[in-house]
Structures are given as C-alpha cells and as structure tokens.
Amino acid sequence: MSIKQTPASGFQFQQLNLGHEAADKPKRNAFAVQLAQFQTQTLNTLLSASVDGQSGAAGIFGAEQGDTNPLFADQGSAGGQGLSADGRNLGLFDPESAYRMMSVINQRELNYQAEFAALTEMGTDVAEMRAEGMELAELDVSSSNAQIRAELEEFVAEYNAWRDEYQDETRAGGALADSNAARMSRYELEQSIQNSFTGAADGFRGMNALGVSIDSSTGRARLDPAALDAALAENRSGAVATIDAFSAHFAEAATLLNADNNFIQNRLANLGRVIDYLKTNKTSLQAEFGSGDVGSSKGIADALAAYQKMAAGKV
C-alpha cells in the first residue's frame, strides 16, 4: 500500500506524512506539524466513519502504516521497554509531541462521553416538546379565550424551561458546546415559533400575530395576552386555525430532529462509534503514543456522571 493512498476510513495519510519522501529522516519541526494535523483529523474521521475493528496504530492509520509512518520510527525497540516513568514512549522520534497528542485524545474521550449523555437527554426532551406542541391542536373555535391563553402560556413556559435547561451546556466549555445536533435542535424549534408563513392562509403572519414571539435579546419565548385577545376578536376561526397549523409544524420539526439518520440520532450513532473505539483501543494507543495527561471534567462533570450511569445501565 502506497503512503499516498487514502484508506477506507477516509484519513489522509499524505497530510500526516507531508515531506516524508523528501528526506531520509523527518525533521523535528516538520514532525510536530504532522502531529498537530493528526490531532485535528483522526478523531473527527472516527466520528464520521465506522472503524473496521483494527486496533492501535493500524486501526487509525491503516493496516500497513505502522512500519512506514515516521510516528512509529524505532518503535519496535520500545515495544519491549514500555513507557517511561513519566508516560512517554521514548522509542518514538518525537515522544513529547506524541504524548501531547494522547492528551488530546484523553480529553476528547471525556468530551464525547459528556456530549453523548447530554444529547441523549436533549433528544428525550425534544420528544416531550413535540407532545407539548401537539396539545395545542386540541383547541377549537369553541374554546374560550381563557382556555386558549392558558394553553399558549403553558407551551411558552415549557419551551423556555427546555431552552434554559441547555443554556449552560451549549456555551463554551459545556457538554454540548461543539454539538451541531444540539445547536440545530434549538434553532429549528425556535424557527418554528418565528415562522411568519404559519397561518398565512387564514389571514395571519405567524404566531407573532397572535402574541407569541421570541425575545431577540434573550431567545426566550413570550406571550402578549392583549395581542392574542385582539386576534381572537378580529378573526377567531383564523386565529385558531393558525394555532392548529403551528401545532402541526412544531411537532413535525421535533419529530424530524429525533428521526433516524437525522441530527440527534445520527450524532449519537457517531459518538457511540468513537467512544467504543477508544474504549477498546485506549491501552494500545497509550502504549504507542504515551499515556498523555488525564482529561479534565471541568464544565462537563454532570454530563459525565450521567454517562457513567448510562454505561452502568442505571438509567
């Protein structure tokens, strides 16, 4: 297998080995750059493609790369020696860069576990928000103004509680800070509320015309009772039909977010794949690259605790 080939996993070996063919021995600075490129590519590759079951270096680089990649230069002599007292593999050409790379992997492992737990919970809550949206469809023209207002107030309160629950986790350093699935879930449900085309056939421009809107500064939903009463007085049947249309659109958005091969489930499947890979191959990776620093749980401790309970089958 040529060093320029791309393996089935999708990892670009030419990026890792840039300049390797131009010299008999890789230079230290060039190798450090190669390792940095490796850090940003490898785990992302694992998140988007299935692992073929190979372990250690072969699992990441491809079955034939262990002997030809400069990362493993002189590794054979270190195999019988193990790691140094400070966790470095001194058989590598650049053990310090390899150690830092393993530190990144250790941290990523914790981040992925935390994201898995938090996103699993978000998926459950999105399903509950779907149910809240569907309840609005029970309203009809015979419902009193007070009933309609109460149902909308309940929906707004539940939506805000759902949004607030994940506010910290989606910020920098949180369990969902790097989760596109979480960002899209928040965005799609918010856009369902803000959609100005809802109710167009019934004489209204979205739920905003009925007093339900998103505060531009906080991102939270709010209800203006006066605007709702005015809409009901002006066109009661159209207002109720608009609420029914919103109910259907909101529920559909929540359903799609949780659907197979869509945002939440697809991300969970990818996270599960890379978590399983790291669990299976952690020992061999550390033997090859060094032990690395232990990952930090700062900002993700609650999500990690939830993951541990999930892994132990307690939830």
Side-chain angles (χ1 to χ4, degrees):
M1 177 177 177
S2 170
I3 200 69
K4 290 292 185 179
Q5 286 182 297
T6 300
S9 65
F11 187 84
Q12 301 293 324
F13 294 113
Q14 59 266 38
Q15 295 296 321
L16 185 62
N17 293 285
L18 189 63
H20 177 55
E21 298 174 351
D24 294 333
K25 293 184 180 180
K27 296 180 180 180
R28 181 172 299 272
N29 289 342
F31 186 68
V33 171
Q34 293 163 9
L35 276 174
Q37 293 171 332
F38 169 84
Q39 293 173 8
T40 61
Q41 292 183 49
T42 304
L43 292 180
N44 289 334
T45 297
L46 291 177
L47 276 172
S48 60
S50 297
V51 178
D52 61 8
Q54 296 173 324
S55 63
I60 293 180
F61 291 99
E64 301 176 26
Q65 297 304 316
D67 295 331
T68 58
N69 197 286
L71 179 63
F72 305 103
D74 300 325
Q75 187 180 355
S77 62
Q81 300 175 10
L83 302 182
S84 65
D86 60 358
R88 272 70 173 174
N89 184 346
L90 301 182
L92 296 178
F93 180 81
D94 189 348
E96 191 60 34
S97 292
Y99 182 91
R100 290 197 299 270
M101 181 188 69
M102 195 65 222
S103 298
V104 172
I105 294 176
N106 290 340
Q107 185 62 58
R108 291 280 187 91
E109 181 179 28
L110 295 184
N111 292 345
Y112 294 148
Q113 291 175 356
E115 183 183 350
F116 187 94
L119 191 58
T120 298
E121 182 179 0
M122 176 177 273
T124 299
D125 289 344
V126 165
E128 292 178 359
M129 283 307 305
R130 175 183 180 275
E132 288 292 334
M134 290 182 66
E135 287 183 9
L136 295 176
E138 298 174 5
L139 298 171
D140 56 36
V141 292
S142 66
S143 301
S144 67
N145 284 19
Q147 288 176 313
I148 294 173
R149 181 190 302 176
E151 288 295 332
L152 288 175
E153 286 177 341
E154 179 181 345
F155 173 82
V156 166
E158 290 296 331
Y159 174 83
N160 287 337
W162 172 77
R163 187 185 183 285
D164 293 347
E165 181 177 357
Y166 296 97
Q167 188 70 2
D168 289 338
E169 289 187 323
T170 53
R171 287 173 175 156
L176 296 173
D178 298 321
S179 177
N180 186 53
R183 287 194 294 271
M184 288 305 300
S185 295
R186 287 160 63 90
Y187 174 81
E188 289 295 334
L189 295 190
E190 179 180 301
Q191 289 303 303
S192 293
I193 296 175
Q194 291 185 307
N195 187 352
S196 61
F197 292 101
T198 303
D202 300 294
F204 291 96
R205 295 191 60 182
M207 291 298 289
N208 186 61
L210 275 65
V212 179
S213 62
I214 298 293
D215 188 299
S216 59
S217 61
T218 66
R220 305 178 86 244
R222 59 187 177 188
L223 172 65
D224 181 350
L228 175 61
D229 288 342
L232 290 170
E234 178 185 352
N235 181 0
R236 188 176 194 81
S237 62
V240 171
T242 298
I243 294 173
D244 287 345
F246 167 72
S247 172
H249 294 161
F250 187 89
E252 181 181 16
T255 298
L256 288 174
L257 288 169
N258 261 331
D260 290 342
N261 297 318
N262 214 325
F263 287 107
I264 294 176
Q265 295 306 319
N266 187 55
R267 180 62 176 176
L268 287 174
N270 289 341
L271 285 168
R273 206 158 36 230
V274 72
I275 289 171
D276 287 344
Y277 177 86
L278 290 174
K279 179 180 179 181
T280 301
N281 298 288
K282 187 74 170 291
T283 299
S284 61
L285 288 171
Q286 290 181 329
E288 291 164 354
F289 303 134
S291 60
D293 293 331
V294 177
S296 170
S297 63
K298 182 179 180 181
I300 58 174
D302 291 343
L304 280 175
Y307 178 82
Q308 294 304 322
K309 290 182 179 179
M310 293 172 62
K314 296 181 179 180
V315 294

